[in-house]
Amino acid sequence: MTTDSQSPTRNDGTALIALDPWLEPYAQQLRNRYLHYQHIRSTFDAHGGLLGDISQGHRYFGFNRGENNGETGVWYREWAPGARRLKLIGDFNGWSRDPGPGEMNRDTFGTWSVFLPDAQFEQTLIHGSRIKTLITGADGVTADHLPAYIRRIVQEPPDSPNFVGIYWNPPARHVFRFPLPSYADGARSGGLRIYEAHVGMAQEESKVGTFKEFTQNILPRIASLHYNAIQLMAIQEHPYYGSFGYHVANFFAVSSRFGTPEDLKELIDTAHSLGLQVIMDLVHSHAVKNVAEGINNFDGTAHQYFHAPPRGDHVAWDSKCFDYSKYEVQRFLLSNVRYWIEEYNFDGFRFDGVTSMLYLDHGLGKTFGSYDDYFSLNTDGDALAYLQLANELAHTLKPSAITIAEDMSGMVGTARPVAEGGLGFDYRLAMGIPDYWIKTLKEKTDDQWKLSEIYQTLLNRRAHEKHIGYAESHDQALVGDKTLAFWLMDKEMYFSMSKLQKNLIVDRGIALHKMIRLITFALGGEGYLNFMGNEFGHPEWIDFPRIGNNWSYQHARRQWSLVDDDLLKYVGLNNFDRAMQMLDENFRILPDPFIEQLACHEDTKQLIFRRGPLVFVFNFHPTESYVGLRIPIPDPKDYRVILNTDGPQFDGLGLVPEHTVYPRQDVPMYSRDQSIQLYLPCRTAQVLAPV
């Protein structure tokens, strides 16, 4: 019999208890956080609710065409409650700082505005005009700023530290031609398979890549590998390229380093035509502290968009922390969510820095070993409510939208619906998995690997919440760390990747690279993520231009020529990654919740398990191969090899013929009525499907 506390129909924010009875002692805390969300949500009701004014700030603030007393023209509005004076300056008024055209007026709510009628400014305020806002702040300091809702920023001159706003009103806007794909339908079926990419470093030349180059050269590669989604990093404008896009200054502006807004729209449209959904890496967790380029100290106070110091200063990231309790901050950020969906046709977001948002200490140095850690005074209820609102908005605007949380704390209900008391994300990143693999490779020899520990680590995630599993992402590729390929093969990758030579270190590295990724793919989550180039074992780290490397682009690029050279073993790793993605495309294993261990032998390094209809057989032993190895099978059928890490097309030895069929034998084993016998070479894995 189901008790009230276990009923999933409860609507007071405690429905999560039905999924996790250990939450019962925290029922009141769950109610409180849901009540807080409902209270904030109710404050929007008088102005159209969540789809009203609160998420349409970009249609009011910034630059928008409209009318005033029957005249057509351009409205420019800015929220700056502490400021003493605002004036729009730019090409249209000769950059005049004196009283005159562009002078703005303040209302009682701290909103400043100016109307620029076409009759007077149609020939001067044109598409591409340069603009800035002259602000005298509450501190008495007068300085140039970039408008908070500006949609286009450029560096002037190029590659300089100086940024200027651009009035963006192109005569011909991109018209989206292709419908949005669904990862659950069509040619790209199965679970969510994400290719994480950075447009700027997605080219081989030592320079910043462009949206056009990515569209032409990289999208076809991703589609050919049978991923069904891309996750684009560094889209929002950021003054320092080396920040990887995480120190955002201009939240509504596309990074001009990569091209124009229309170029990005063409990229997204082309991706849709290839069956790829496009997820944006959205940074709402903090903002760059720059004053001239960003929104810090915009009205001459330290507490306009952000908390006042010291709370408003992120000690680890050297950035500013939003005050999510303020209406105008909520409007700024929720409008940003809506803007990227409606203006650019993005299919969802990966929310950066969720852990930092959720806790007053940003989760720094915490282990999160108890539920008490989630329901303490350290939790920021306003940030949590904002995430609930952002998720609700995204899914209301686009029911197919995908939202992913980058949270390492394991916050309860992160990937459960808001109606249950959750945060509303669709997925959370399984962030412990890559850390585990790096730690294993750093600290253990092959014979010390514990298969039961690997199996449990890959399955160690909150039940009833979907996760994105991954063996490594961009974090592991950054300078100061190493990718899996580099941990496995190190300098040998520079000299011994030719198919014409043998090298034991490379042989081991290639074998384990495939096995690590396959077992992570099979067990690590309900979705999968890979950072560009890692699929073929890109040999070098990521290091953006900076003083320490003499502003070099040597390591801020991807060497695609390596994987295009048929004489190098990178090709085999690339082929394997494609075949692995197709496992899900053909058998839909990622969304399949059925996972069952069939056998685990620590002494002989064999691990056999089932996911969905497929059986995965791993031999992690560094030297021992097994002839006639008997393993239990779940179904009374013959089993066929559909993927073999040792296949010659994957730069393996090819000791097991392609599509080998292992006949069922009515020999009971480990509570199964049937078993098969197979040949399993050392450091290889096979995936079997019932015939």
Side-chain angles (χ1 to χ4, degrees):
M1 179 176 178
T2 302
T3 65
D4 178 62
S5 64
Q6 295 173 320
S7 173
T9 61
R10 297 172 69 182
N11 58 4
D12 62 350
T14 63
L16 293 174
I17 298 173
L19 304 175
D20 185 358
W22 290 96
L23 285 171
E24 186 65 57
Y26 305 93
Q28 189 57 50
Q29 288 95 322
L30 287 169
R31 289 188 191 94
N32 289 343
R33 83 178 192 183
Y34 191 61
L35 283 171
H36 186 56
Y37 150 77
Q38 288 181 309
H39 167 70
I40 296 176
R41 180 78 162 73
S42 69
T43 62
F44 310 149
D45 292 343
H47 300 283
L50 194 56
L51 295 181
D53 291 353
I54 194 67
S55 63
Q56 298 189 68
H58 56 295
R59 297 176 183 171
Y60 183 76
F61 293 105
F63 297 87
N64 292 283
R65 290 199 57 78
E67 293 186 2
N68 184 39
N69 296 325
E71 287 189 283
T72 60
V74 176
W75 279 102
Y76 169 50
R77 299 184 181 92
E78 203 71 75
W79 176 63
R84 301 178 186 179
R85 180 197 181 202
L86 268 75
K87 182 185 179 183
L88 181 66
I89 58 176
D91 294 335
F92 78 99
N93 64 1
W95 295 90
S96 172
R97 300 166 184 272
D98 299 327
E103 200 73 35
M104 302 178 70
N105 299 308
R106 185 190 193 278
D107 67 14
T108 56
F109 299 102
T111 295
W112 299 73
S113 64
V114 62
F115 182 73
L116 305 170
D118 291 338
Q120 185 178 354
F121 297 102
E122 189 173 25
Q123 300 303 315
T124 53
L125 186 64
I126 60 175
H127 171 62
S129 295
R130 300 176 305 159
I131 45 180
K132 283 191 175 183
T133 307
L134 180 70
I135 301 178
T136 300
D139 53 6
V141 175
T142 299
D144 294 350
H145 293 259
L146 298 173
Y149 282 79
I150 191 73
R151 302 186 185 188
R152 178 70 171 161
I153 297 292
V154 298
Q155 290 173 277
E156 190 179 79
D159 298 323
S160 78
N162 302 314
F163 289 78
V164 65
I166 299 294
Y167 175 62
W168 192 256
N169 186 32
R173 295 180 180 271
H174 179 85
V175 177
F176 288 96
R177 306 181 302 278
F178 298 100
L180 307 182
S182 171
Y183 68 85
D185 300 305
R188 298 286 185 259
S189 62
L192 185 61
R193 305 186 299 276
I194 302 172
Y195 196 91
E196 183 186 34
H198 184 284
V199 169
M201 57 173 291
Q203 79 302 316
E204 188 146 357
E205 293 182 65
S206 294
K207 67 180 186 69
V208 178
T210 67
F211 290 128
K212 288 184 176 180
E213 291 170 329
F214 191 92
T215 301
Q216 180 178 349
N217 302 325
I218 309 305
L219 284 180
R221 289 182 182 272
I222 300 171
S224 72
L225 288 171
H226 290 255
Y227 287 86
N228 54 26
I230 58 174
Q231 179 178 302
L232 293 180
M233 308 174 66
I235 294 300
Q236 296 165 291
E237 188 63 88
H238 46 290
Y240 178 44
Y241 188 49
S243 75
F244 225 143
Y246 290 120
H247 274 193
V248 172
N250 316 107
F251 286 75
F252 291 83
V254 172
S255 181
S256 61
R257 294 179 179 89
F258 311 143
T260 69
E262 307 312 303
D263 293 341
L264 175 58
K265 292 175 184 178
E266 178 64 31
L267 185 161
I268 294 171
D269 208 15
T270 304
H272 288 163
S273 75
L274 295 171
L276 295 166
Q277 291 188 301
V278 187
I279 299 167
M280 178 180 172
D281 205 340
L282 190 69
V283 183
H284 282 182
S285 48
H286 63 137
V288 72
K289 68 179 184 181
N290 298 34
V291 173
E293 296 87 3
I295 56 176
N296 184 26
N297 206 39
F298 190 79
D299 69 348
T301 72
H303 53 78
Q304 181 187 355
Y305 285 97
F306 310 113
H307 288 289
R311 183 177 173 184
D313 296 323
H314 199 299
V315 295
W317 295 349
D318 193 28
S319 56
K320 303 299 292 184
C321 301
F322 285 104
D323 183 350
Y324 302 101
S325 70
K326 286 187 175 180
Y327 179 88
E328 289 298 347
V329 174
Q330 295 163 0
R331 173 147 66 170
F332 182 77
L333 295 175
L334 290 173
S335 298
N336 197 237
V337 169
R338 185 167 190 167
Y339 172 74
W340 292 111
I341 288 178
E342 292 187 339
E343 182 70 19
Y344 287 92
N345 228 1
F346 275 103
D347 302 305
F349 305 101
R350 178 262 203 187
F351 280 74
D352 170 69
V354 168
T355 306
S356 177
M357 297 172 69
L358 288 175
Y359 307 99
L360 300 182
D361 63 2
H362 308 300
L364 299 173
K366 291 190 69 67
T367 57
F368 295 98
S370 164
Y371 279 8
D372 291 341
D373 295 325
Y374 307 130
F375 299 104
S376 70
L377 295 177
N378 184 43
T379 301
D380 187 339
D382 294 321
L384 194 151
Y386 167 70
L387 290 170
Q388 292 175 310
L389 292 165
N391 276 299
E392 184 182 359
L393 176 63
H395 291 111
T396 301
L397 292 169
K398 181 177 287 190
S400 63
I402 301 164
T403 60
I404 304 167
E406 188 212 25
D407 172 41
M408 49 74 63
S409 74
M411 167 58 77
V412 170
T414 294
R416 294 301 303 179
V418 173
E420 293 180 4
L423 273 63
F425 288 96
D426 297 294
Y427 295 86
R428 64 197 311 162
L429 292 178
M431 299 183 69
I433 295 176
D435 292 340
Y436 174 79
W437 283 123
I438 296 299
K439 182 179 176 63
T440 297
L441 292 175
K442 285 174 63 175
E443 299 179 359
K444 296 182 179 180
T445 59
D446 296 5
D447 60 316
Q448 294 175 326
W449 291 19
K450 288 184 64 67
L451 303 190
S452 58
E453 181 181 271
I454 293 173
Y455 185 80
Q456 293 302 323
T457 298
L458 293 175
L459 293 178
N460 184 22
R461 52 186 181 267
R462 285 197 62 82
H464 310 292
E465 297 192 35
K466 292 190 292 186
H467 291 67
I468 302 294
Y470 58 108
E472 55 185 342
S473 70
H474 70 272
D475 287 329
Q476 287 70 43
L478 288 169
V479 64
D481 204 337
K482 294 181 181 180
T483 62
L484 291 179
F486 233 43
W487 278 113
L488 289 164
M489 294 176 277
D490 207 74
K491 65 180 185 298
E492 299 299 326
M493 300 189 73
Y494 293 117
F495 311 109
S496 306
M497 292 297 284
S498 170
K499 293 182 179 181
L500 303 178
Q501 65 184 110
K502 295 292 293 180
N503 182 288
L504 293 179
I505 293 176
V506 169
D507 288 347
R508 168 187 177 267
I510 287 179
L512 289 179
H513 193 272
K514 290 179 288 187
M515 295 179 73
I516 287 172
R517 297 173 84 79
L518 178 61
I519 197 169
T520 302
F521 186 85
L523 294 175
E526 292 72 31
Y528 180 78
L529 177 141
N530 164 69
F531 179 68
M532 65 176 185
N534 287 353
E535 71 276 6
F536 66 83
H538 196 282
E540 293 187 336
W541 54 91
I542 300 168
D543 190 12
F544 284 94
R546 56 187 174 87
I547 294 177
N549 63 19
N550 199 27
W551 302 103
S552 170
Y553 286 86
Q554 175 66 27
H555 297 291
R557 61 194 183 104
R558 298 282 90 176
Q559 299 179 63
W560 303 108
S561 58
L562 296 175
V563 75
D564 292 337
D565 188 339
D566 288 336
L567 293 179
L568 297 179
K569 296 179 180 180
Y570 297 104
V571 177
L573 294 178
N574 197 66
N575 291 340
F576 177 77
D577 195 76
R578 177 186 297 109
M580 188 172 72
Q581 305 306 317
M582 292 180 69
L583 277 182
D584 179 59
E585 184 172 300
N586 295 329
F587 293 93
R588 297 182 56 80
I589 61 169
L590 289 179
D592 197 317
F594 188 71
I595 299 175
E596 179 187 25
Q597 185 181 117
L598 299 175
C600 181
H601 301 294
E602 298 287 0
D603 53 345
T604 55
K605 300 298 179 188
Q606 300 158 13
L607 177 63
I608 303 104
F609 58 87
R610 175 186 187 179
R611 181 156 195 181
L614 304 183
V615 172
F616 293 77
V617 188
F618 285 82
N619 177 11
F620 280 97
H621 203 288
T623 58
E624 292 295 327
S625 299
Y626 302 101
V627 179
L629 176 68
R630 185 175 298 280
I631 66 168
I633 51 173
D635 299 320
K637 298 180 179 180
D638 297 342
Y639 275 76
R640 175 172 57 90
V641 178
I642 60 171
L643 181 63
N644 175 19
T645 64
D646 193 43
Q649 70 274 37
F650 310 138
D651 281 305
L653 298 177
L655 299 177
V656 176
E658 291 291 295
H659 310 300
T660 294
V661 174
Y662 300 117
R664 181 195 87 203
Q665 299 177 23
D666 294 324
V667 178
M669 188 178 188
Y670 303 156
S671 76
R672 300 290 180 174
D673 293 333
Q674 58 279 325
S675 58
I676 59 173
Q677 288 181 287
L678 72 166
Y679 174 42
L680 191 62
C682 64
R683 286 201 185 112
T684 69
Q686 297 175 27
V687 184
L688 314 177
V691 177

